[in-house]
Amino acid sequence: MSTVQGAGVVVTGAGGGIGAVLARRFAAEGARVVVNDIDAGKAKTVADEIGATAVPGDASRIVDEARDALGGVVDVYCANAGLGSGGDAFADEDVWAAAWDVNVMAHVRASRALLPEWLERGSGRFVSTVSAAGLLTMIGAAPYSVTKHGALAYAEWLSLTYRHRGLKVHAICPQGVRTDMLTASGTAGELVLTPTAIEPEDVADSLFEAMAEDRFLVLPHPEVAGYYAARATQNERWLAGMSHLQQKWEGTTR
């Protein structure tokens, strides 16, 4: 893809799952890639595999180091690191705080560090791995659902505020993807996500299609568009359907 050939790309949470596949895909397309993960060993393994540079650590605080590793310029930033925090309204405060910090504030902090240079030169690309939960919701995972709504809202805000100044923003919103996060989602994931789960490579394909079309919303599961429309236009019916799903899930956990 000519738009990324030679580009400086940062992928956070790239030690496995969607992030690792995105890093591999960008490298295969000729980009110069920085692989970030909180697990230094995993970051190095992926980086060594694709001829990239590993910059481990907190995803929200590595922009300066990643920029240096790329020779001073970040063209594409993939805010992919995330926490799949389960729990209900009574989840511990630290669970809510961690989900907010990683799923939303890491995106805010990264954009703060990147926007000045992007706006000055009139180009830049911010890729946010959100989740269909950010468009809809996820049973049994209040912190995850709420913060993914926040991640989507922030990506939308970035797009509408800066697109006329050259910033391109993409929000990736898949349902189930066969990664460790899906495995960790437990019985709720088995009920809602596993039946239609896709491979991380399918997510990368959808992102590159959206980049080629300069399209904001990336839907690796196309049916999510219909669910999203129903949520907006038939809200009571949608809520009733989700409540039924919640009750079905509760029946499996008793």
Side-chain angles (χ1 to χ4, degrees):
M1 184 177 179
S2 60
T3 56
V4 300
Q5 190 167 12
V9 178
V10 180
V11 186
T12 68
I18 293 173
V21 169
L22 290 180
R24 293 185 185 107
R25 180 64 178 271
F26 276 106
E29 297 287 347
R32 298 172 295 110
V33 179
V34 161
V35 176
N36 161 261
D37 199 274
I38 197 72
D39 186 317
K42 289 182 178 179
K44 185 177 186 304
T45 296
V46 175
D48 288 349
E49 173 195 333
I50 63 176
T53 303
V55 178
D58 183 336
S60 66
R61 304 183 190 280
I62 53 89
V63 171
D64 288 344
E65 187 177 353
R67 184 189 290 115
D68 290 343
L70 292 170
V73 177
V74 175
D75 298 292
V76 182
Y77 187 90
C78 297
N80 173 76
L83 286 178
S85 307
D88 57 16
F90 300 98
D92 290 344
E93 290 280 332
D94 60 351
V95 172
W96 281 96
W100 182 257
D101 192 68
V102 175
N103 294 345
V104 180
M105 291 309 299
H107 299 199
V108 175
R109 295 185 190 110
S111 65
R112 282 178 186 159
L114 292 161
L115 279 169
E117 66 185 81
W118 284 351
L119 297 178
E120 182 179 358
R121 75 180 191 224
S123 67
R125 196 179 294 266
F126 191 91
V127 179
S128 175
T129 300
V130 179
S131 166
L135 294 169
L136 306 167
T137 194
M138 178 59 191
I139 61 172
Y144 180 74
S145 296
V146 171
T147 55
K148 287 300 186 177
H149 274 265
L152 178 67
Y154 189 64
E156 288 178 332
W157 186 88
L158 285 175
S159 180
L160 67 90
T161 303
Y162 299 116
R163 65 167 49 201
H164 66 289
R165 298 181 62 182
L167 178 63
K168 300 181 186 300
V169 182
H170 308 280
I172 308 175
C173 298
Q175 292 192 111
V177 182
R178 295 187 184 98
T179 65
D180 290 343
M181 187 176 287
L182 176 59
T183 303
S185 65
T187 55
E190 291 174 9
L191 176 64
V192 179
L193 304 175
T194 300
T196 60
I198 60 175
E199 298 297 333
E201 289 78 7
D202 298 318
V203 178
D205 288 343
S206 293
L207 172 61
F208 272 71
E209 289 171 7
M211 290 194 299
E213 298 169 5
D214 284 339
R215 175 165 39 85
F216 172 79
L217 203 55
V218 184
L219 299 178
H221 292 81
E223 62 269 27
V224 168
Y227 304 153
Y228 189 37
R231 176 177 175 266
T233 61
Q234 304 174 56
N235 189 250
E236 288 299 323
R237 182 177 179 182
W238 181 81
L239 285 170
M242 291 301 296
S243 176
H244 177 74
L245 190 61
Q246 169 73 19
Q247 293 171 67
K248 183 177 180 181
W249 174 60
E250 289 176 2
T252 69
T253 60
R254 291 189 181 121

